Amino acid sequence: MSDVDSPWLVVGLGNPGPGYAANRHNVGFMVADLLADRIGGRFKAHKARAQVVEGRLGAPGPSSRRVVVAKPMSYMNLSGGPVTALRDFYKVPVGNIVAVHDELDIGYGALRLKLGGGDNGHNGLKSITKALGPDYHRVRFGIGRPPGRMDVAAFVLKDFSSAERKDLDYFVDRAADAVECLIVDGLERAQGTYNT
């Protein structure tokens, strides 16, 4: 279970480097970037092979929570190593870890928040679950299924289409709101407000 006094670790999943920056698979990084802006911090390199920002989320006062927002700088399928190192460094209980990731099985822009579960073939989740077990939170950001017979790997490593980009900022903003609500108000409230 989560612990009120412990920090939260929000991990945006993606691949490092400018070639991947606008890919569907990197929507976790996009949400992490927005959360860093809200905290008012800049990402700094961490020895855990990740970029991190530390700060607080929520209204100032007793309800705000200490948060570390991280972007693993390993590739997606090796995310478990940096997440484990950050958990150990910041002493974060597994129940206070939130992975933000792209999800093929829900429509574009839809969100689903949950605690635990399988990896549904997502290599980033597979790596984290192998390292930590399944009992961490997930904020699943829908990217929909590839059109026709397009290979899934090719689809997730493509940039969002121009039609999708029109709404992308709004959906990323909503996902960041959902993360903040999860941390400050709890999973049930966040699910009731943001699950679509």
Side-chain angles (χ1 to χ4, degrees):
M1 286 312 302
S2 69
D3 176 345
V4 173
D5 297 323
S6 299
W8 283 77
L9 174 59
V10 178
V11 182
L13 295 182
N15 286 307
Y20 296 102
N23 288 180
R24 291 183 178 94
H25 219 21
N26 269 41
V27 75
F29 274 17
M30 296 172 199
V31 175
D33 286 339
L34 183 56
L35 287 167
D37 283 348
R38 290 183 181 185
I39 286 170
R42 274 217 164 95
F43 280 102
K44 294 183 177 68
H46 191 279
K47 65 182 181 184
R49 285 183 310 144
Q51 297 277 327
V52 300
V53 173
E54 297 175 56
R56 299 188 82 81
L57 281 174
S63 69
S64 80
R65 299 279 177 262
R66 198 155 63 91
V67 177
V68 178
V69 178
K71 298 191 294 188
M73 290 290 115
S74 60
Y75 283 92
M76 180 72 86
N77 59 346
L78 301 172
S79 300
V83 174
T84 302
L86 290 168
R87 176 204 62 185
D88 294 347
F89 183 85
Y90 290 104
K91 299 179 175 46
V92 180
V94 172
N96 277 25
I97 295 174
V98 183
V100 184
H101 64 92
D102 58 306
E103 176 63 61
L104 288 159
D105 283 343
I106 50 182
Y108 174 60
L111 294 175
R112 299 265 167 76
L113 287 76
K114 67 178 193 169
L115 175 61
D119 57 54
N120 206 15
H122 192 289
N123 289 331
L125 296 182
K126 204 175 283 181
S127 178
I128 294 170
T129 298
K130 189 175 173 194
L132 301 178
D135 299 326
Y136 55 92
H137 290 87
R138 297 99 190 276
V139 174
R140 303 158 68 204
F141 186 111
I143 59 168
R145 283 250 159 224
R149 296 189 173 172
M150 184 190 275
D151 178 58
V152 165
F155 177 71
V156 299
L157 292 175
K158 274 200 166 332
D159 289 0
F160 285 102
S161 70
S162 53
E164 288 170 332
R165 280 198 300 272
K166 287 189 178 88
D167 297 316
L168 184 59
D169 287 349
Y170 168 75
F171 289 138
V172 167
D173 194 60
R174 198 165 177 276
D177 289 347
V179 170
E180 199 164 333
C181 183
L182 166 63
I183 290 171
V184 175
D185 300 318
L187 179 61
E188 229 172 276
R189 169 76 64 84
Q191 286 174 323
T193 306
Y194 293 99
N195 274 12
T196 46

